[in-house]
Amino acid sequence: MTLSCLPAPAGPPDDVPFEPWEGQEVALAGAAAAGRRAAAWVRSLPAPPLPGPVGAWLTGELPDAIETAMGDLDPEECDHMAPDGRAVDGTGGVDAGTISTLTAAPGVLSEVDWLTPDQQVRLLAVASAVTGAVRLIANDPGTAILHGLLARLCAVLDHAARPGGVAWAPAGAGEPGVREWIASPSPTT
């Protein structure tokens, strides 16, 4: 068997300018807004009966991570090839510490026993949707933006983080990735 190394690409790795996708600015602004709404919902959850690390995580670190992740989404930080030919995993613009806080949610749920099962499930859905949005942007930002995948995850995020029985629903047709939101009654909280 013969192994041949591919030559390194000519020029510096940043010699090709990044071209934003159509609707990118609107999609990212919508994601940031959905993140702010979700973080506000998490902050509005009942406080623990006794102060402790889990309560501090729930009222501080987790909502901050949700807001930061959704606000920092960056399509330029996607999977790519390094100049030496190595595949580099993208971050979607979100640092490892923020992702670590989000991925801790499933393990922490057993300790937030003062929340109702509905609130716990919605909390898990919020953390999962935010983590999914980061992975979408890191793995394939063009598809996430152009085909409305990011907007769909934002709709999931809004539904999970609906305050006090109000479900957020799309208001009319719009361009892909563009969402207007109206409050509509929901049979469950």
Side-chain angles (χ1 to χ4, degrees):
M1 170 165 51
T2 304
L3 295 176
S4 298
C5 294
L6 295 175
D14 59 354
D15 63 352
V16 178
F18 175 77
E19 292 289 327
W21 285 273
E22 185 179 337
Q24 175 178 316
E25 188 176 319
V26 173
L28 294 177
R36 287 189 300 274
R37 288 189 295 271
W41 174 76
V42 173
R43 288 182 184 106
S44 76
L45 290 171
L50 299 172
V54 173
W57 175 84
L58 183 65
T59 60
E61 292 175 52
L62 180 61
D64 290 349
I66 290 166
E67 200 164 356
T68 298
M70 296 301 285
D72 288 354
L73 292 176
D74 183 359
E76 289 188 61
E77 294 294 326
C78 63
D79 296 348
H80 61 279
M81 234 11 155
D84 63 1
R86 289 179 302 110
V88 177
D89 287 334
T91 63
V94 180
D95 66 89
T98 300
I99 291 296
S100 178
T101 300
L102 293 167
T103 58
V108 174
L109 279 180
S110 63
E111 298 181 46
V112 292
D113 57 356
W114 66 90
L115 297 180
T116 67
D118 178 67
Q119 291 168 329
Q120 291 178 7
V121 167
R122 290 167 55 193
L123 188 62
L124 182 60
V126 164
S128 179
V130 172
T131 305
V134 173
R135 289 309 324 146
L136 272 175
I137 294 297
N139 293 347
D140 190 1
T143 300
I145 292 166
L146 294 174
H147 296 284
L149 302 180
L150 180 60
R152 281 188 227 147
L153 267 180
C154 290
V156 168
L157 186 59
D158 277 336
H159 182 77
R162 65 193 186 280
V166 175
W168 293 93
E175 297 176 32
V178 178
R179 300 282 185 180
E180 298 173 38
W181 301 98
I182 59 169
S184 61
S186 173
T188 61
T189 57

